[in-house]
Structures are given as C-alpha cells and as structure tokens.
Coordinates of all heavy atoms in Angstrom, one line a residue:
M1 N -22.0 -16.6 1.1 CA -20.9 -15.6 1.2 C -21.4 -14.4 2.0 O -22.5 -13.9 1.9 CB -20.6 -15.1 -0.2 CG -19.2 -15.3 -0.6 SD -18.8 -14.6 -2.2 CE -18.2 -16.1 -2.9
G2 N -20.4 -13.9 2.8 CA -20.7 -12.8 3.7 C -20.3 -11.5 3.1 O -19.8 -11.4 2.0
K3 N -20.6 -10.5 3.8 CA -20.2 -9.1 3.4 C -19.0 -8.6 4.1 O -18.8 -9.0 5.2 CB -21.4 -8.2 3.6 CG -22.6 -8.5 2.7 CD -23.7 -7.5 2.8 CE -24.8 -7.9 1.8 NZ -25.9 -6.9 1.9
R4 N -18.3 -7.7 3.4 CA -17.1 -7.1 4.0 C -17.3 -5.6 4.0 O -18.0 -5.1 3.0 CB -15.9 -7.4 3.3 CG -15.5 -8.9 3.2 CD -14.2 -9.2 2.5 NE -13.1 -8.5 3.2 CZ -12.5 -9.0 4.3 NH1 -13.0 -10.1 4.9 NH2 -11.5 -8.4 4.9
V5 N -16.8 -4.9 5.0 CA -16.8 -3.4 4.9 C -15.4 -3.0 4.7 O -14.4 -3.6 5.1 CB -17.4 -2.8 6.2 CG1 -18.8 -3.1 6.4 CG2 -16.6 -3.3 7.4
V6 N -15.3 -1.9 3.9 CA -14.0 -1.3 3.6 C -14.0 0.1 3.9 O -15.0 0.9 3.6 CB -13.8 -1.5 2.0 CG1 -12.5 -0.8 1.6 CG2 -13.8 -2.9 1.6
I7 N -13.0 0.6 4.6 CA -12.8 2.0 4.9 C -12.0 2.6 3.8 O -10.9 2.2 3.5 CB -12.1 2.1 6.3 CG1 -12.8 1.4 7.4 CG2 -11.9 3.6 6.6 CD1 -12.1 1.2 8.7
P8 N -12.6 3.6 3.1 CA -11.9 4.3 2.0 C -10.6 4.9 2.5 O -10.4 5.3 3.6 CB -12.9 5.4 1.6 CG -14.2 4.9 2.0 CD -14.0 4.1 3.3
D9 N -9.7 5.0 1.5 CA -8.3 5.6 1.9 C -8.4 7.0 2.3 O -7.5 7.5 3.1 CB -7.4 5.5 0.6 CG -7.1 4.1 0.3 OD1 -7.1 3.2 1.2 OD2 -6.7 3.8 -0.9
D10 N -9.4 7.8 1.9 CA -9.5 9.2 2.4 C -10.3 9.4 3.6 O -10.8 10.5 3.9 CB -10.0 10.0 1.2 CG -11.3 9.5 0.6 OD1 -11.8 8.5 1.1 OD2 -11.7 10.1 -0.4
V11 N -10.5 8.3 4.4 CA -11.1 8.4 5.7 C -10.1 8.0 6.8 O -9.5 7.0 6.7 CB -12.3 7.4 5.8 CG1 -12.9 7.4 7.2 CG2 -13.4 7.8 4.8
L12 N -9.8 8.9 7.7 CA -8.8 8.8 8.7 C -9.5 8.6 10.0 O -10.6 9.1 10.2 CB -7.9 10.0 8.8 CG -7.3 10.5 7.4 CD1 -6.6 11.8 7.6 CD2 -6.4 9.4 6.9
C13 N -8.9 7.9 11.0 CA -9.5 7.8 12.3 C -8.4 7.8 13.4 O -7.2 7.5 13.1 CB -10.3 6.5 12.4 SG -9.4 5.0 12.4
Q14 N -8.8 8.1 14.5 CA -7.9 8.2 15.7 C -8.7 7.7 16.9 O -9.9 8.1 17.1 CB -7.4 9.6 15.9 CG -6.5 9.8 17.1 CD -5.1 9.1 16.9 OE1 -4.6 9.2 15.8 NE2 -4.6 8.4 17.9
I15 N -8.1 6.8 17.7 CA -8.7 6.4 18.9 C -8.3 7.3 20.1 O -7.1 7.5 20.3 CB -8.3 4.9 19.2 CG1 -8.8 4.0 18.1 CG2 -8.9 4.5 20.6 CD1 -8.3 2.6 18.2
I16 N -9.3 7.9 20.7 CA -9.0 8.8 21.8 C -9.8 8.2 23.0 O -11.0 8.3 23.1 CB -9.5 10.2 21.5 CG1 -8.7 10.7 20.3 CG2 -9.3 11.1 22.7 CD1 -9.2 12.1 19.7
G17 N -9.1 7.6 24.0 CA -9.8 7.0 25.1 C -10.6 5.8 24.5 O -10.0 4.9 23.9
E18 N -11.9 5.8 24.8 CA -12.7 4.8 24.3 C -13.6 5.2 23.1 O -14.6 4.6 22.8 CB -13.6 4.3 25.4 CG -12.8 3.6 26.5 CD -13.7 3.0 27.6 OE1 -14.9 2.8 27.4 OE2 -13.1 2.7 28.7
T19 N -13.2 6.3 22.5 CA -13.9 6.9 21.4 C -13.1 6.8 20.1 O -11.9 7.0 20.2 CB -14.3 8.4 21.7 OG1 -15.1 8.4 22.9 CG2 -15.0 9.0 20.5
V20 N -13.7 6.5 19.0 CA -13.0 6.6 17.7 C -13.5 7.8 17.0 O -14.7 8.0 16.8 CB -13.4 5.3 16.9 CG1 -12.8 5.5 15.5 CG2 -12.8 4.1 17.5
V21 N -12.6 8.7 16.7 CA -12.9 9.9 15.9 C -12.6 9.6 14.5 O -11.4 9.2 14.1 CB -12.1 11.1 16.5 CG1 -12.4 12.4 15.6 CG2 -12.5 11.3 17.9
I22 N -13.5 9.9 13.6 CA -13.4 9.6 12.2 C -13.4 10.9 11.4 O -14.3 11.7 11.7 CB -14.5 8.6 11.7 CG1 -14.6 7.4 12.5 CG2 -14.4 8.4 10.2 CD1 -15.9 6.6 12.4
F23 N -12.5 11.1 10.5 CA -12.4 12.3 9.7 C -12.5 11.9 8.2 O -11.7 11.1 7.7 CB -11.1 13.1 10.0 CG -11.0 14.3 9.1 CD1 -11.9 15.3 9.2 CD2 -9.9 14.4 8.2 CE1 -11.7 16.5 8.4 CE2 -9.7 15.5 7.4 CZ -10.6 16.5 7.5
D24 N -13.5 12.4 7.5 CA -13.6 12.2 6.1 C -12.9 13.4 5.4 O -13.4 14.5 5.4 CB -15.1 12.2 5.7 CG -15.4 11.8 4.3 OD1 -14.4 11.9 3.5 OD2 -16.5 11.5 3.9
V25 N -11.8 13.1 4.8 CA -11.0 14.1 4.1 C -11.8 14.8 3.0 O -11.7 16.0 2.8 CB -9.7 13.5 3.6 CG1 -8.9 14.5 2.8 CG2 -8.8 12.9 4.7
R26 N -12.6 14.1 2.3 CA -13.3 14.6 1.1 C -14.3 15.7 1.6 O -14.4 16.8 1.0 CB -14.1 13.5 0.4 CG -13.2 12.6 -0.4 CD -14.0 11.4 -0.8 NE -14.5 10.7 0.4 CZ -15.4 9.8 0.5 NH1 -15.9 9.3 -0.6 NH2 -15.7 9.3 1.7
S27 N -15.1 15.4 2.6 CA -16.1 16.3 3.0 C -15.7 17.2 4.2 O -16.3 18.2 4.4 CB -17.3 15.5 3.5 OG -17.0 14.8 4.8
G28 N -14.6 16.9 4.8 CA -14.2 17.7 6.0 C -15.0 17.4 7.2 O -14.9 18.2 8.2
E29 N -15.8 16.4 7.2 CA -16.7 16.1 8.4 C -16.0 15.1 9.3 O -15.3 14.3 9.0 CB -18.0 15.4 7.8 CG -18.8 16.3 7.0 CD -19.5 17.4 7.7 OE1 -20.0 17.2 8.9 OE2 -19.6 18.5 7.2
Y30 N -16.3 15.4 10.6 CA -15.9 14.5 11.7 C -17.0 13.7 12.2 O -18.2 14.2 12.3 CB -15.3 15.3 12.9 CG -13.9 15.9 12.6 CD1 -13.8 17.2 12.1 CD2 -12.8 15.2 13.0 CE1 -12.5 17.7 11.9 CE2 -11.6 15.7 12.8 CZ -11.4 17.0 12.3 OH -10.2 17.5 12.1
L31 N -16.8 12.5 12.7 CA -17.8 11.7 13.3 C -17.1 11.1 14.6 O -15.9 10.9 14.6 CB -18.2 10.5 12.5 CG -18.9 10.8 11.2 CD1 -18.4 10.0 10.1 CD2 -20.4 10.5 11.4
A32 N -17.9 10.7 15.6 CA -17.3 10.0 16.7 C -18.2 8.8 17.1 O -19.4 8.9 17.0 CB -17.3 11.0 17.9
L33 N -17.5 7.7 17.4 CA -18.2 6.5 17.8 C -17.6 6.1 19.1 O -16.4 6.2 19.4 CB -17.9 5.4 16.8 CG -18.4 5.5 15.4 CD1 -18.0 4.4 14.5 CD2 -19.9 5.6 15.3
D34 N -18.5 5.7 20.0 CA -18.0 5.1 21.3 C -18.7 3.8 21.6 O -19.6 3.4 20.8 CB -18.2 6.2 22.4 CG -19.7 6.6 22.6 OD1 -20.5 6.0 22.0 OD2 -19.9 7.6 23.3
G35 N -18.3 3.2 22.7 CA -18.9 1.9 23.1 C -18.8 0.9 22.0 O -17.8 0.6 21.4
V36 N -19.9 0.2 21.7 CA -20.0 -0.9 20.8 C -19.6 -0.4 19.4 O -19.0 -1.0 18.6 CB -21.4 -1.6 20.8 CG1 -21.4 -2.7 19.7 CG2 -21.7 -2.1 22.1
G37 N -20.1 0.9 19.0 CA -19.8 1.4 17.7 C -18.3 1.6 17.5 O -17.7 1.3 16.4
A38 N -17.6 2.0 18.5 CA -16.1 2.2 18.4 C -15.4 0.8 18.3 O -14.5 0.7 17.5 CB -15.6 2.9 19.7
R39 N -15.9 -0.2 19.0 CA -15.3 -1.5 18.9 C -15.6 -2.1 17.5 O -14.7 -2.7 16.9 CB -15.9 -2.4 20.0 CG -15.3 -3.8 20.0 CD -13.8 -3.8 20.3 NE -13.3 -5.2 20.3 CZ -12.3 -5.6 19.6 NH1 -11.6 -4.8 18.8 NH2 -11.9 -6.9 19.6
F40 N -16.8 -1.9 17.0 CA -17.1 -2.3 15.7 C -16.2 -1.7 14.6 O -15.7 -2.4 13.8 CB -18.6 -2.0 15.3 CG -18.9 -2.3 13.9 CD1 -19.1 -3.6 13.5 CD2 -19.1 -1.3 13.0 CE1 -19.4 -3.9 12.1 CE2 -19.4 -1.5 11.6 CZ -19.5 -2.9 11.2
W41 N -15.9 -0.4 14.8 CA -15.0 0.3 13.8 C -13.6 -0.4 13.9 O -13.0 -0.6 12.9 CB -14.9 1.8 14.1 CG -14.1 2.5 13.1 CD1 -12.7 2.8 13.2 CD2 -14.5 3.0 11.9 NE1 -12.3 3.4 12.1 CE2 -13.4 3.6 11.3 CE3 -15.7 3.1 11.3 CZ2 -13.5 4.3 10.1 CZ3 -15.8 3.7 10.0 CH2 -14.7 4.3 9.4
Q42 N -13.1 -0.7 15.1 CA -11.8 -1.3 15.2 C -11.8 -2.6 14.5 O -10.8 -3.0 13.9 CB -11.5 -1.5 16.7 CG -11.2 -0.2 17.4 CD -11.1 -0.3 18.9 OE1 -11.7 -1.2 19.5 NE2 -10.3 0.5 19.5
L43 N -12.9 -3.4 14.7 CA -13.0 -4.7 14.0 C -13.0 -4.5 12.5 O -12.4 -5.4 11.8 CB -14.2 -5.5 14.5 CG -14.1 -5.9 16.0 CD1 -15.5 -6.4 16.5 CD2 -13.0 -7.0 16.2
C44 N -13.6 -3.5 12.0 CA -13.6 -3.2 10.6 C -12.2 -2.9 10.1 O -11.9 -3.4 9.0 CB -14.5 -2.0 10.3 SG -16.3 -2.3 10.5
Q45 N -11.5 -2.2 10.9 CA -10.1 -1.9 10.5 C -9.2 -3.2 10.4 O -8.4 -3.3 9.6 CB -9.5 -0.9 11.5 CG -10.0 0.5 11.4 CD -9.2 1.4 12.3 OE1 -9.4 1.2 13.5 NE2 -8.5 2.3 11.8
E46 N -9.5 -4.1 11.4 CA -8.7 -5.3 11.5 C -9.0 -6.3 10.3 O -8.0 -6.9 9.8 CB -8.9 -6.0 12.8 CG -8.4 -5.2 14.0 CD -8.9 -5.9 15.3 OE1 -9.4 -7.0 15.3 OE2 -8.7 -5.2 16.3
D47 N -10.2 -6.5 10.0 CA -10.6 -7.5 9.1 C -11.6 -7.1 8.0 O -11.5 -7.4 6.9 CB -11.1 -8.8 9.9 CG -11.4 -9.9 9.0 OD1 -10.4 -10.7 8.6 OD2 -12.5 -10.1 8.6
G48 N -12.7 -6.5 8.5 CA -13.7 -6.0 7.6 C -14.8 -7.0 7.4 O -15.9 -6.7 6.8
D49 N -14.7 -8.3 7.8 CA -15.7 -9.3 7.7 C -16.8 -9.0 8.7 O -16.6 -9.1 9.9 CB -15.1 -10.7 7.9 CG -16.1 -11.8 7.6 OD1 -17.1 -11.9 8.4 OD2 -15.8 -12.6 6.7
L50 N -18.0 -8.8 8.2 CA -19.2 -8.4 9.1 C -19.5 -9.6 10.0 O -19.8 -9.4 11.2 CB -20.4 -8.0 8.3 CG -20.3 -6.6 7.7 CD1 -21.5 -6.3 6.8 CD2 -20.2 -5.5 8.8
N51 N -19.5 -10.8 9.5 CA -19.9 -11.9 10.3 C -18.9 -12.1 11.4 O -19.2 -12.4 12.6 CB -20.0 -13.2 9.5 CG -21.3 -13.2 8.6 OD1 -22.3 -12.7 9.1 ND2 -21.2 -13.8 7.5
K52 N -17.6 -12.0 11.1 CA -16.6 -12.1 12.2 C -16.7 -11.0 13.2 O -16.6 -11.2 14.4 CB -15.2 -12.0 11.6 CG -14.7 -13.3 10.9 CD -13.3 -13.1 10.4 CE -12.9 -14.3 9.5 NZ -11.5 -14.2 9.0
A53 N -17.0 -9.8 12.8 CA -17.2 -8.6 13.7 C -18.4 -8.9 14.6 O -18.3 -8.7 15.8 CB -17.4 -7.4 12.9
V54 N -19.5 -9.4 14.1 CA -20.6 -9.7 14.9 C -20.3 -10.8 15.9 O -20.6 -10.8 17.1 CB -21.8 -10.1 14.1 CG1 -22.9 -10.8 14.9 CG2 -22.4 -8.9 13.3
A55 N -19.5 -11.9 15.5 CA -19.1 -13.0 16.4 C -18.3 -12.4 17.5 O -18.5 -12.8 18.7 CB -18.4 -14.0 15.6
V56 N -17.4 -11.6 17.2 CA -16.5 -11.0 18.3 C -17.3 -10.1 19.3 O -17.2 -10.3 20.5 CB -15.4 -10.2 17.7 CG1 -14.6 -9.4 18.8 CG2 -14.4 -11.1 16.9
L57 N -18.2 -9.3 18.7 CA -19.1 -8.5 19.6 C -20.0 -9.3 20.4 O -20.2 -8.9 21.6 CB -19.9 -7.5 18.7 CG -19.0 -6.4 18.0 CD1 -19.9 -5.6 17.0 CD2 -18.4 -5.5 19.0
L58 N -20.5 -10.4 19.9 CA -21.3 -11.3 20.7 C -20.6 -11.9 21.9 O -21.1 -12.1 23.0 CB -21.9 -12.4 19.9 CG -23.1 -12.1 19.0 CD1 -23.4 -13.2 18.0 CD2 -24.3 -11.7 19.8
Q59 N -19.3 -12.1 21.7 CA -18.5 -12.6 22.8 C -18.1 -11.5 23.9 O -18.0 -11.8 25.0 CB -17.1 -13.2 22.3 CG -17.3 -14.5 21.5 CD -16.0 -14.9 20.9 OE1 -15.0 -14.3 21.0 NE2 -16.0 -16.1 20.3
E60 N -18.0 -10.3 23.4 CA -17.6 -9.2 24.3 C -18.7 -8.5 25.0 O -18.5 -7.8 26.0 CB -16.8 -8.2 23.5 CG -15.5 -8.8 22.9 CD -14.6 -7.8 22.1 OE1 -15.1 -6.7 21.9 OE2 -13.5 -8.2 21.7
Y61 N -19.9 -8.5 24.4 CA -21.1 -7.8 25.0 C -22.2 -8.7 25.3 O -22.4 -9.7 24.6 CB -21.5 -6.7 24.0 CG -20.5 -5.6 23.8 CD1 -19.6 -5.7 22.8 CD2 -20.4 -4.5 24.7 CE1 -18.6 -4.7 22.6 CE2 -19.4 -3.5 24.5 CZ -18.5 -3.7 23.4 OH -17.5 -2.7 23.2
E62 N -23.0 -8.4 26.3 CA -24.2 -9.1 26.6 C -25.3 -8.6 25.8 O -26.0 -7.7 26.2 CB -24.5 -9.0 28.1 CG -23.4 -9.7 29.0 CD -23.8 -9.7 30.5 OE1 -25.0 -9.6 30.8 OE2 -22.8 -9.8 31.3
V63 N -25.6 -9.2 24.7 CA -26.6 -8.8 23.8 C -27.1 -10.0 22.9 O -26.2 -10.9 22.7 CB -26.1 -7.6 22.9 CG1 -25.0 -8.1 22.0 CG2 -27.3 -7.0 22.0
G64 N -28.3 -10.0 22.6 CA -28.8 -11.1 21.7 C -28.3 -10.9 20.3 O -28.1 -9.8 19.8
E65 N -28.1 -12.1 19.6 CA -27.6 -12.0 18.3 C -28.5 -11.2 17.3 O -28.0 -10.4 16.5 CB -27.4 -13.4 17.7 CG -26.7 -13.4 16.3 CD -26.3 -14.8 15.9 OE1 -26.4 -15.8 16.6 OE2 -25.9 -14.9 14.7
E66 N -29.8 -11.4 17.4 CA -30.7 -10.7 16.4 C -30.6 -9.2 16.7 O -30.5 -8.4 15.7 CB -32.1 -11.2 16.6 CG -33.1 -10.6 15.6 CD -34.5 -11.2 15.7 OE1 -34.6 -12.4 16.1 OE2 -35.4 -10.5 15.5
T67 N -30.6 -8.8 17.9 CA -30.5 -7.4 18.3 C -29.2 -6.8 17.8 O -29.2 -5.7 17.1 CB -30.6 -7.2 19.8 OG1 -31.9 -7.7 20.2 CG2 -30.5 -5.7 20.2
L68 N -28.1 -7.5 18.0 CA -26.8 -7.0 17.6 C -26.7 -6.9 16.0 O -26.2 -5.9 15.5 CB -25.7 -8.0 18.1 CG -24.3 -7.5 17.7 CD1 -23.9 -6.2 18.3 CD2 -23.3 -8.6 18.2
R69 N -27.2 -8.0 15.3 CA -27.2 -7.9 13.9 C -28.0 -6.7 13.3 O -27.5 -6.1 12.4 CB -27.6 -9.2 13.3 CG -26.6 -10.3 13.4 CD -27.0 -11.6 12.6 NE -26.0 -12.6 12.8 CZ -24.8 -12.7 12.2 NH1 -24.5 -11.8 11.3 NH2 -24.0 -13.7 12.4
T70 N -29.1 -6.5 13.9 CA -29.9 -5.3 13.5 C -29.2 -4.0 13.8 O -29.2 -3.1 12.9 CB -31.3 -5.3 14.3 OG1 -32.0 -6.6 13.9 CG2 -32.1 -4.1 13.9
D71 N -28.6 -3.9 15.0 CA -27.9 -2.7 15.3 C -26.7 -2.5 14.4 O -26.4 -1.3 14.0 CB -27.5 -2.7 16.8 CG -28.6 -2.6 17.7 OD1 -29.8 -2.3 17.3 OD2 -28.4 -2.8 19.0
V72 N -25.9 -3.5 14.1 CA -24.8 -3.4 13.3 C -25.2 -3.0 11.9 O -24.6 -2.2 11.2 CB -23.9 -4.7 13.3 CG1 -23.0 -4.8 12.1 CG2 -23.2 -4.9 14.6
A73 N -26.3 -3.6 11.4 CA -26.8 -3.3 10.0 C -27.2 -1.8 9.9 O -26.9 -1.1 9.0 CB -28.0 -4.2 9.6
E74 N -27.8 -1.3 11.0 CA -28.2 0.1 11.0 C -27.0 1.0 11.0 O -26.9 2.0 10.3 CB -29.1 0.4 12.2 CG -30.5 -0.2 12.1 CD -31.3 0.0 13.3 OE1 -30.9 0.6 14.3 OE2 -32.5 -0.6 13.3
L75 N -26.0 0.6 11.8 CA -24.7 1.4 11.9 C -24.0 1.4 10.6 O -23.6 2.5 10.1 CB -23.8 0.9 13.0 CG -22.5 1.6 13.2 CD1 -22.7 3.1 13.5 CD2 -21.7 0.9 14.3
V76 N -23.9 0.3 10.0 CA -23.3 0.2 8.7 C -24.0 1.1 7.7 O -23.4 1.8 6.9 CB -23.2 -1.3 8.2 CG1 -22.8 -1.4 6.7 CG2 -22.2 -2.1 9.0
D77 N -25.3 1.0 7.6 CA -26.1 1.8 6.7 C -25.8 3.3 6.9 O -25.6 4.1 6.0 CB -27.6 1.5 6.9 CG -28.0 0.2 6.3 OD1 -27.2 -0.4 5.6 OD2 -29.1 -0.2 6.6
E78 N -25.7 3.7 8.2 CA -25.5 5.1 8.5 C -24.0 5.5 8.1 O -23.9 6.6 7.5 CB -25.6 5.4 10.0 CG -27.0 5.3 10.5 CD -27.2 5.4 12.0 OE1 -26.2 5.8 12.7 OE2 -28.2 5.0 12.5
L79 N -23.1 4.7 8.3 CA -21.7 5.0 7.9 C -21.5 5.0 6.4 O -20.7 5.8 5.9 CB -20.7 4.0 8.6 CG -20.7 4.1 10.2 CD1 -19.8 3.0 10.8 CD2 -20.2 5.4 10.6
V80 N -22.2 4.1 5.7 CA -22.2 4.1 4.3 C -22.8 5.4 3.7 O -22.3 6.0 2.8 CB -22.9 2.8 3.7 CG1 -23.1 3.0 2.2 CG2 -22.0 1.6 4.0
A81 N -23.9 5.8 4.3 CA -24.6 6.9 3.9 C -23.8 8.2 4.0 O -23.9 9.1 3.1 CB -25.9 7.1 4.7
V82 N -22.9 8.3 5.0 CA -22.0 9.5 5.1 C -20.7 9.3 4.4 O -19.9 10.2 4.4 CB -21.9 9.9 6.6 CG1 -23.2 10.3 7.2 CG2 -21.2 8.8 7.4
G83 N -20.5 8.1 3.8 CA -19.3 7.9 3.0 C -18.0 7.5 3.6 O -17.0 7.5 3.1
V84 N -18.2 7.0 4.9 CA -16.9 6.5 5.6 C -16.7 5.0 5.6 O -15.7 4.5 6.1 CB -16.9 7.1 7.0 CG1 -16.8 8.6 7.0 CG2 -18.0 6.6 7.9
L85 N -17.7 4.3 5.0 CA -17.6 2.9 4.8 C -18.2 2.5 3.4 O -19.1 3.2 2.9 CB -18.4 2.1 5.8 CG -17.8 1.7 7.2 CD1 -18.8 0.8 7.9 CD2 -16.5 1.1 7.1
T86 N -17.7 1.4 2.8 CA -18.3 0.8 1.7 C -18.5 -0.6 2.0 O -17.8 -1.2 2.8 CB -17.5 1.0 0.4 OG1 -16.2 0.4 0.6 CG2 -17.4 2.4 0.0
V87 N -19.5 -1.3 1.4 CA -19.8 -2.7 1.6 C -19.6 -3.4 0.3 O -20.0 -3.0 -0.7 CB -21.2 -2.9 2.1 CG1 -21.6 -4.3 2.3 CG2 -21.5 -2.1 3.4
T88 N -18.9 -4.6 0.4 CA -18.7 -5.4 -0.7 C -19.0 -6.9 -0.3 O -19.1 -7.2 0.9 CB -17.2 -5.4 -1.2 OG1 -16.4 -5.9 -0.1 CG2 -16.8 -4.0 -1.6
E89 N -19.2 -7.7 -1.3 CA -19.4 -9.1 -1.1 C -18.0 -9.8 -0.8 O -17.1 -9.4 -1.5 CB -20.1 -9.8 -2.3 CG -21.5 -9.4 -2.5 CD -22.5 -9.7 -1.4 OE1 -22.3 -10.8 -0.8 OE2 -23.4 -8.9 -1.1
A90 N -18.0 -10.7 0.2 CA -16.7 -11.3 0.5 C -16.3 -12.3 -0.6 O -17.1 -12.8 -1.3 CB -16.9 -12.0 1.8

C-alpha cells in the first residue's frame, strides 16, 4: 500500500506564474514552491497519491527515480513539519 498526502482545509494556495504560494490560515505563514516543488504540489491537489506523483514527475523531468524519491520524501517531510500537508496510508 502506498502513501497519500492530504492538504488540510485551512491551507490555501494560489498559482502565480510557475510558483505556488501556500498560506497556512492557522499560523498566518506563507510558503512558496517553484519548479518541481510547485508541480508536486499541483499533483498533491489533484490526487494525493505519492507513487502517482513520482511517476508523473519522472515522465516530466530528467531525473533518476532514486534521486526523485529522496527529494520528494524530503519535501514532504518539510511540508508536514510546517503543517501544510499530512500523510496517510492509502
């Protein structure tokens, strides 16, 4: 079974150009993601399945799977730590 990411209801986002601006209503903090991070956030909004997100990113970017999985795991950990994502079992 894979993992899913969930964006809490009190986290808002807006796409501005190629950047995703994230606002955490609870803390009043803003975050910005661009490049692969922004595309990952969009995939989280669409489905939330981490394996599917990695598969799409592998098709769209020239990167090795192990490197991408490590980078995605680090990004997820950072976003969970600031409270803008939660992770559940699929």
Side-chain angles (χ1 to χ4, degrees):
M1 233 182 240
K3 293 186 178 182
R4 299 185 61 78
V5 292
V6 178
I7 301 167
D9 290 338
D10 49 5
V11 173
L12 308 174
C13 72
Q14 180 68 43
I15 299 171
I16 302 172
E18 295 184 17
T19 301
V20 173
V21 178
I22 303 163
F23 177 62
D24 184 345
V25 174
R26 291 166 299 169
S27 69
E29 296 288 324
Y30 284 92
L31 297 135
L33 298 174
D34 56 9
V36 179
R39 181 64 178 128
F40 173 73
W41 184 268
Q42 291 171 329
L43 293 167
C44 290
Q45 287 182 296
E46 291 172 14
D47 183 84
D49 183 298
L50 284 176
N51 287 326
K52 285 183 185 177
V54 168
V56 170
L57 293 172
L58 282 170
Q59 292 176 352
E60 295 179 357
Y61 295 92
E62 292 184 27
V63 62
E65 183 173 354
E66 185 176 326
T67 299
L68 180 62
R69 286 192 181 278
T70 299
D71 291 349
V72 165
E74 289 174 4
L75 178 59
V76 168
D77 288 346
E78 291 173 19
L79 296 173
V80 167
V82 297
V84 297
L85 274 186
T86 59
V87 178
T88 63
E89 292 296 325

